Amino acid sequence: MTELRLENINLRIGNKTIIEDLNLKIESKDFFVFLGPSGCGKTTTLRIIAGLVQQTSGDVIVDGNVINDLSPSKRELSLVFQDYALYPHKTVFENIAFPLRIAHTERQQIIDKVKEVSSFLAIEHILGKKPSNISGGERQRVAIARALVKNPKLLLMDEPLSNLDAKLRDTVRFELKKIHNETGITTVYVTHDQLEAMTLGTKVAVMNGGKLIQMGPPMNVFEQPVNSFVASFIGSPPMNILSAPETLKGVGAESGSIGVRPRAVAVTHDAKGEEYIELTGKIEGINLLGNEALVLMRINGESLYFSVRREQFDQIAEGKMKTVYVEKNRVYLFDETGQANGRLKAEDYAKTEIFGS
Amino acid sequence: MNNIGKSLLWYIAMIIVSIFVLFPLYLIMIIALAPSGEIFNSSPVLIPSTITFSRFFLVIAVYDFMPHLILSLETAFLVSGICLLFGIPGAYAISKMPKRLGYSIIIFLFVTQMVPEIVIAVPIARTMLILGLYNTAFGIALAQSSIALPMITYVLVGTFKSVPSRLSESAQIDGASKLQAFYSIDLPLALTGIYVAVILAWLFSWDEFVLASIIAPLHTTLPVLIYYEITRGVGGVQAADAFSIILMIPVIVLVLVLQRYLKSNVFAGALK
Ligand SMILES: Nc1ncnc2c1ncn2[C@@H]1O[C@H](COP(=O)(O)OP(=O)(O)OP(=O)(O)O)[C@@H](O)[C@H]1O
Ligand SMILES: [Mg+2]
């Protein structure tokens, strides 16, 4: 039941601006995801919220109270560090129990709470071990258990899945979703993985270069990116941005660039004529991914990646010229500065509501 | 084959190093234990025909050994204590400062070492006289700490810097005050370095000569005593040699006791 607001947060170190004019509101029970490339200031933003870094200007506001001057220990929040930060000299049990010991919780209650949270995260069997003797995935869970055990007002997580292998990442991602559903803790989650952002977030904030670029529910950000940066950052494989003059002329766009998502590309023509644009180029590479293939085509010196379903593998061959088709209302338009400028055909376009900017 | 060759090379290297380190110690042992006729001639033996412990008894009996030993031990432990008491908080603070500032402070600490000990020894002795600490263990310890403390602080700064700050940050997020984070996280993780610091401070004091001889000329520490006795000629060189062996014993005990705590991988499992 905690809401968090950041108002005009700026952070300068030396003469370098690390965070610029950050404004946002994270509502109670949100699973709020900061998404952005490496070095864009995600960790720094979390550290400002946690009180480990003091912002140059602006306010951190929790439930209406400005907490700028509150030390980290008084902020009643938890932080799962990017690199776990387990206490190497303490057992897993003592690591998880540490916040409770500091709060002088009663002995039996400590045991009960640690047991409860560790059974929830399936790490009961390693409670007696030291962090050096458990696997990366287990360390991850221990760090999460330590963050949850004190029932924080706010749960902050900094790329908690980045050190796990792909399979474990899927498992833990589902667990995190489950934890959030069951506890309802307002969560702020940092990642550079758009898949995590899309699947976990109730809201996503895309950052770049210390600035907030776009914020909203994941699907809105996906459907209505405000500029070509967001467009090419969200979605996997990423959106193709094409700006060669010949290409633009060929599809009837005036200037700037067009964006095409790989899955919007069709290799066969459904005879709808006007509704489609045609792109012709040479197929330079095919990556088979099982039921799907990722194809690279060169068009006027630019790369276009697109997906082809298994049934249509016979339509493509490496080294051959090929014409592909994209529905006009799925072609994004961007102006010269990269700002979104609607779709090639603005049908359906207005249906989705735009959140934030 | 390759592996065997490798470990063979390794063993040979170890044997050479061991000889290099242990042979002088062996010589000292021999000199203390062998009959004087076999040592003091133009071709001293490496393996004496008989050995005698008489010089050890002589040293302990004639040199009035015990009170000096106690004083030396007292002083060495006091120096270690003083160095930890002031070195730990000082070093922790310096380790958290911006690099430039911390570095300047460390340089500044070493300024006292630019003056030869003997130059500051006399004014220090005068001060001790005024304070009533002349000829006391505490007096010697204070004076020796003025030299040892900068060195210990420097060692401890390195130790605290090696403890990832992420861990005490994490403790603070978990609700610990800065002080609680310090003694429940930073301090235990710095223990290895602290043990090393204890050994260094202790050894420094145990060997220290100039300050001890000037601040406590009458009731003095073992290194000063050995010097006095040699210059007086009591028991000869071989007795002095036996003495130096006795001087080594506490050092060996200390290092053996503390080395169990010298771990190299204290941070394993902390980050990533
Ligand atoms: N104490 C500091 N002094 C100077 N620059 C800093 C400091 N802390 C962070 N930065 C800079 O601020 C920027 C943002 O860093 P931050 O760690 O927040 O990035 P991030 O988005 O978390 O990246 P990653 O995904 O790699 O973890 C980086 O360019 C970094 O070099
Ligand atoms: Mg980061």
Side-chain angles (χ1 to χ4, degrees):
Chain A
M1 311 306 108
T2 306
E3 75 158 49
L4 170 74
R5 268 187 299 147
L6 300 182
E7 285 190 354
N8 303 315
I9 298 278
N10 280 280
L11 177 68
R12 272 179 289 279
I13 296 182
N15 53 14
K16 200 174 155 206
T17 300
I18 308 233
I19 301 292
E20 195 177 335
D21 253 330
L22 189 58
N23 280 290
L24 50 86
K25 185 172 172 195
I26 298 171
E27 267 155 285
S28 186
K29 295 189 174 178
D30 261 353
F31 197 117
F32 192 95
V33 180
F34 280 107
L35 176 67
S38 189
C40 71
K42 307 181 295 292
T43 297
T44 308
T45 306
L46 273 200
R47 290 170 64 82
I48 289 173
I49 297 172
L52 294 171
V53 169
Q54 189 65 44
Q55 67 272 24
T56 314
S57 63
D59 294 325
V60 179
I61 302 167
V62 170
D63 290 337
N65 304 312
V66 177
I67 59 164
N68 297 345
D69 298 325
L70 219 53
S71 72
S73 58
K74 301 265 162 58
R75 294 196 179 187
E76 296 173 68
L77 45 78
S78 288
L79 170 55
V80 178
F81 284 82
Q82 194 164 1
D83 44 15
Y84 313 158
L86 299 182
Y87 310 129
H89 58 305
K90 292 179 185 289
T91 59
V92 167
F93 182 95
E94 286 304 327
N95 262 280
I96 301 172
F98 186 74
L100 303 175
R101 295 227 187 270
I102 290 292
H104 301 291
T105 311
E106 193 204 329
R107 237 183 64 109
Q108 190 55 43
Q109 218 178 337
I110 292 182
I111 297 174
D112 294 343
K113 282 195 170 177
V114 173
K115 285 268 157 64
E116 185 189 330
V117 70
S118 51
S119 82
F120 182 54
L121 285 161
I123 47 173
E124 276 172 307
H125 57 293
I126 54 166
L127 286 178
K129 293 190 182 176
K130 288 273 179 72
S132 55
N133 298 328
I134 61 178
S135 73
E138 288 167 338
R139 281 177 205 161
Q140 183 61 69
R141 289 152 198 252
V142 174
I144 295 171
R146 184 178 62 187
L148 289 176
V149 76
K150 67 173 182 187
N151 285 328
K153 280 184 169 179
L154 266 177
L155 176 60
L156 313 179
M157 290 194 262
D158 193 354
E159 306 202 25
L161 308 187
S162 59
N163 301 310
L164 305 183
D165 62 48
K167 198 169 160 228
L168 200 55
R169 204 176 299 172
D170 287 338
T171 320
V172 180
R173 206 175 56 232
F174 277 104
E175 274 171 24
L176 289 180
K177 190 97 194 165
K178 191 176 84 176
I179 291 170
H180 182 252
N181 287 341
E182 288 183 18
T183 61
I185 296 175
T186 310
T187 304
V188 185
Y189 185 98
V190 158
T191 181
H192 62 251
D193 181 343
Q194 61 87 30
L195 177 75
E196 285 172 27
M198 293 296 290
T199 51
L200 286 172
T202 56
K203 265 190 208 155
V204 178
V206 183
M207 286 181 80
N208 193 23
K211 276 187 273 195
L212 182 66
I213 307 295
Q214 185 172 9
M215 183 174 85
M219 276 316 288
N220 290 55
V221 179
F222 179 82
E223 293 281 351
Q224 312 292 336
V226 295
N227 61 23
S228 55
F229 169 78
V230 176
S232 58
F233 203 80
I234 289 208
S236 173
M239 183 188 282
N240 299 284
I241 308 286
L242 303 174
S243 57
E246 301 92 318
T247 312
L248 296 181
K249 222 165 89 205
V251 303
E254 274 110 54
S255 56
S257 53
I258 58 168
V260 175
R261 292 208 183 272
R263 293 215 168 81
V265 174
V267 287
T268 51
H269 191 288
D270 293 349
K272 283 188 192 164
E274 297 285 277
E275 305 291 310
Y276 282 74
I277 62 162
E278 293 180 3
L279 295 167
T280 305
K282 190 174 162 194
I283 292 178
E284 298 209 325
I286 299 175
N287 283 346
L288 296 178
L289 308 168
N291 274 329
E292 202 182 55
L294 185 62
V295 180
L296 165 62
M297 189 161 106
R298 296 292 285 181
I299 304 171
N300 299 323
E302 292 178 308
S303 303
L304 175 78
Y305 289 92
F306 60 90
S307 307
V308 177
R309 277 174 293 117
R310 184 171 195 149
E311 308 85 79
Q312 300 180 317
F313 280 3
D314 57 346
Q315 301 278 332
I316 47 171
E318 211 164 322
K320 294 271 168 59
M321 295 298 286
K322 171 77 187 157
T323 298
V324 293
Y325 311 91
V326 187
E327 275 180 61
K328 280 187 173 172
N329 60 14
R330 297 181 75 177
V331 176
Y332 291 77
L333 294 176
F334 301 101
D335 65 17
E336 289 84 351
T337 59
Q339 297 306 303
N341 203 6
R343 306 277 175 96
L344 199 55
K345 180 161 178 272
E347 216 172 64
D348 296 342
Y349 174 61
K351 281 186 197 159
T352 24
E353 186 187 353
I354 302 175
F355 282 75
S357 62
Chain B
M1 194 56 212
N2 199 9
N3 258 343
I4 295 173
K6 245 187 199 166
S7 51
L8 199 68
L9 270 182
W10 180 244
Y11 277 114
I12 293 173
M14 290 305 286
I15 288 169
I16 293 174
V17 171
S18 305
I19 291 174
F20 191 75
V21 173
L22 294 178
F23 189 65
L25 289 175
Y26 175 74
L27 287 186
I28 293 174
M29 288 294 291
I30 291 305
I31 294 170
L33 296 172
S36 48
E38 293 182 11
I39 298 294
F40 296 106
N41 59 35
S42 53
S43 54
V45 295
L46 270 185
I47 299 163
S49 56
T50 60
I51 58 171
T52 166
F53 288 95
S54 62
R55 295 183 196 95
F56 288 91
F57 297 121
L58 177 91
V59 164
I60 291 171
V62 177
Y63 284 8
D64 188 19
F65 181 81
M66 285 317 280
H68 298 281
L69 172 70
I70 291 170
L71 180 75
S72 261
L73 286 173
E74 241 180 300
T75 308
F77 281 113
L78 274 172
V79 170
S80 308
I82 292 170
C83 284
L84 291 189
L85 194 64
F86 294 97
I88 289 177
Y92 186 66
I94 292 173
S95 75
K96 297 281 173 213
M97 288 176 184
K99 232 185 198 155
R100 276 252 186 90
L101 181 60
Y103 186 68
S104 323
I105 291 181
I106 288 172
I107 297 285
F108 180 70
L109 287 180
F110 278 102
V111 164
T112 52
Q113 321 246 312
M114 289 176 183
V115 187
E117 267 171 65
I118 193 79
V119 175
I120 53 167
V122 176
I124 289 179
R126 187 175 165 272
T127 311
M128 293 301 170
L129 210 54
I130 294 168
L131 294 176
L133 296 172
Y134 197 63
N135 273 324
T136 63
F138 191 55
I140 312 172
L142 276 184
Q144 290 179 341
S145 298
S146 72
I147 311 286
L149 190 52
M151 176 179 76
I152 297 306
T153 307
Y154 180 69
V155 169
L156 290 175
V157 168
T159 301
F160 283 122
K161 278 207 166 149
S162 73
V163 180
S165 59
R166 197 83 81 257
L167 296 183
S168 69
E169 284 176 356
S170 175
Q172 287 175 56
I173 298 279
D174 287 344
S177 66
K178 282 194 167 146
L179 191 64
Q180 281 172 317
F182 169 69
Y183 66 72
S184 54
I185 306 299
D186 290 289
L187 201 57
L189 288 173
L191 270 188
T192 296
I194 290 172
Y195 288 130
V196 171
V198 167
I199 293 176
L200 285 177
W202 202 94
L203 285 183
F204 171 79
S205 166
W206 190 248
D207 286 346
E208 205 280 329
F209 183 84
V210 176
L211 291 169
S213 67
I214 291 181
I215 290 164
L218 300 178
H219 176 47
T220 195
T221 58
L222 291 178
V224 183
L225 180 68
I226 190 175
Y227 170 74
Y228 285 174
E229 299 297 346
I230 290 174
T231 47
R232 282 196 338 186
V234 180
V237 173
Q238 285 183 293
D241 194 75
F243 196 132
S244 57
I245 289 172
I246 295 175
L247 212 54
M248 273 191 280
I249 293 171
V251 177
I252 294 169
V253 171
L254 181 76
V255 172
L256 283 182
V257 168
L258 289 187
Q259 78 161 2
R260 292 192 290 143
Y261 302 104
L262 303 183
K263 296 183 204 151
S264 58
N265 61 344
V266 278
F267 304 125
L271 306 175
K272 287 202 174 165

